[in-house]
Every structure is written in structure tokens, then in C-alpha cells.
Amino acid sequence: MDNSDLPRAIRSTLRSSADAERGRGAQAYMKSDMPSLGVRVPEVRRIVKEAIKQFPPRSAEDLREAVLDLWRKAEVREERYAAIDLTGIRMVRDDPGMLPVYEEIIRTGAWWDLVDGVAHRLGTLLLKHPETMTPTLLQWSKDSDMWIRRASITAQLGSKAATDTSLLAAVIRPNMDDKEFFIRKAIGWALREYSKTDPGWVKAFAEENASRLSPLSAREALRLLSTP
């Protein structure tokens, strides 16, 4: 198999599934300069799965090349969604060698749908490689790039009882004074999700940092706790 077969097959099938009218609406909704084909996300995932069956990557390196080929040459947003879907293949799910790929996606994607699409992959790596990922996420939490900082905050979404609360608090604190909506929303989101597992910890954290948490972050963090 040529390394270009997989991305080529995905591109071809995506284009044959295009819905121009829906694509215009999707592009407007995402406020993106990059056009959309109008292919729904579940259909993108199906296309990726079928392409993988037809052209299975021979190694993690082949997979990384396919991801970056789709990502870097993307002309439509669905190609980027497909690239992100490819990163979920089992052979690279726990591979720390994917970290530079995720970082590139976050820095160059620079919008919530693309950044959030790979943030949970960081959480998976954290569970398997805490010795590498903990210092990385701490460093990212102070990065000049807002989207890198957002990813450091949302990386543990869905980790439930496996959440490293010391790390969660440590990546939130440098960002509490940030006025950017996407950072404030990320803080609230991360805390709200963890409140489903440990409401007492979230309540105590919110009270301890009440003077610094933005109203948006605090409201989101405590939303589930205020429900009778």
C-alpha cells in the first residue's frame, strides 16, 4: 500500500458525498474561511472507517503520515475532521509519538471544533504516560497560544475518577484571569464535568477561587450543583 492511498481514498469519498447547500450553512456556522462539503460528522466517521478497512496502515508512522497528509493538504473542513478521526485508531491511541501531531492540529486548527476534537486524546495519553504528559500539560497551560491553553484545561474531560485533580487545578489557575471566552468556557466546562464525579471537590475549588473565577466559569462549574 502506498502511504497516500488512505488519505486519497478519504478525500475522494468525502467529495462524492458532498451536499453543497448544507456545506454553505456549515461554513457560515463555523465562521470559517475554509469551505465545507456539507458531509455530516457521522458520515465522515463512516467514510474514515471504511477507508481504513480498505487501506489499513502498516505502522504507527504510516498512520501519522496519513493524518498529517490529510491535515496539511486540507481544502475543506471535513478533511480535517477525517484527519482527527484517524488519530483514534488503536495502534496510536496510547502512542506518545502522537503528541507532536496533536500539537500541530491544535496550533494550526485554532478553532474550537478542531481543538476539542483532539483534546481528549491528550487525556488518554495522560493516563498511560503521566510522567511525560503531566509536565507537558503544565507547560501548555502557560503557553502564549490560547488554543494550547484551552487543550491543557479540557484534556481530562471524561476522565471521571481517574482525573488528576492536582493537575486540573494547576492548569486552571494560570488561566483564571484570562478574559477570552473560550478559556473561561473551558474552565467552567472542565469543572462542571468533574462535578459529576466529585461535586465536593469542585465546590471547594470554586469557593477557594471565587475572587478570580469569571462569572462564566463559576456559573458553568456549579451548574449541576445548583440543581435541586
Side-chain angles (χ1 to χ4, degrees):
M1 183 194 81
D2 187 295
N3 284 350
S4 63
D5 287 342
L6 178 56
R8 185 184 299 119
I10 291 172
R11 287 191 186 97
S12 176
T13 310
L14 283 173
R15 279 163 173 72
S16 67
S17 305
D19 179 332
E21 183 176 353
R22 190 175 186 282
R24 287 190 290 272
Q27 182 178 1
Y29 173 73
M30 294 308 306
K31 300 178 182 178
S32 171
D33 292 333
M34 179 174 281
S36 172
L37 292 172
V39 182
R40 296 179 184 276
V41 170
E43 180 65 7
V44 174
R45 290 176 180 154
R46 187 195 67 77
I47 289 169
V48 170
K49 287 179 180 178
E50 289 301 315
I52 290 169
K53 289 178 184 177
Q54 187 177 4
F55 301 105
R58 294 166 297 189
S59 66
E61 184 57 36
D62 281 353
L63 189 280
R64 281 191 285 272
E65 287 183 14
V67 170
L68 292 174
D69 185 294
L70 269 174
W71 183 266
R72 292 171 177 172
K73 297 177 183 177
E75 297 178 350
V76 293
R77 207 163 193 83
E78 286 84 353
E79 289 172 341
R80 293 201 151 176
Y81 293 157
I84 289 171
D85 282 346
L86 280 177
T87 67
I89 291 180
R90 184 174 299 174
M91 71 164 58
V92 296
R93 198 174 295 161
D94 303 331
D95 183 358
M98 290 297 292
L99 183 58
V101 177
Y102 300 145
E103 182 172 359
E104 178 172 337
I105 288 173
I106 293 166
R107 289 190 188 278
T108 60
W111 198 238
W112 64 267
D113 59 329
L114 304 173
V115 173
D116 296 349
V118 295
H120 64 290
R121 309 280 196 233
L122 303 174
T124 299
L125 290 182
L126 175 64
L127 292 174
K128 294 291 184 178
H129 307 280
E131 71 289 343
T132 299
M133 291 303 299
T134 298
T136 295
L137 292 176
L138 287 171
Q139 181 179 355
W140 282 21
S141 72
K142 300 174 183 177
D143 198 274
S144 60
D145 188 321
M146 173 189 76
W147 298 107
I148 287 286
R149 288 187 282 117
R150 178 180 169 95
S152 76
I153 295 166
T154 60
Q156 294 194 80
L157 284 172
S159 294
K160 299 181 180 179
T163 298
D164 181 340
T165 53
S166 295
L167 177 60
L168 180 60
V171 297
I172 287 175
R173 286 194 178 101
N175 292 286
M176 285 194 292
D177 298 320
D178 198 301
K179 299 187 184 306
E180 172 57 55
F181 169 83
F182 288 104
I183 293 296
R184 292 184 169 189
K185 189 74 172 181
I187 291 171
W189 186 16
L191 291 172
R192 184 181 75 241
E193 283 300 303
Y194 189 58
S195 76
K196 299 174 184 177
T197 298
D198 191 342
W201 187 91
V202 172
K203 183 178 180 181
F205 182 86
E207 289 175 350
E208 177 187 348
N209 296 281
S211 64
R212 291 187 60 203
L213 280 174
S214 71
L216 171 60
S217 296
R219 183 170 62 251
E220 288 293 316
L222 302 173
R223 184 195 297 177
L224 301 181
L225 305 185
S226 61
T227 302

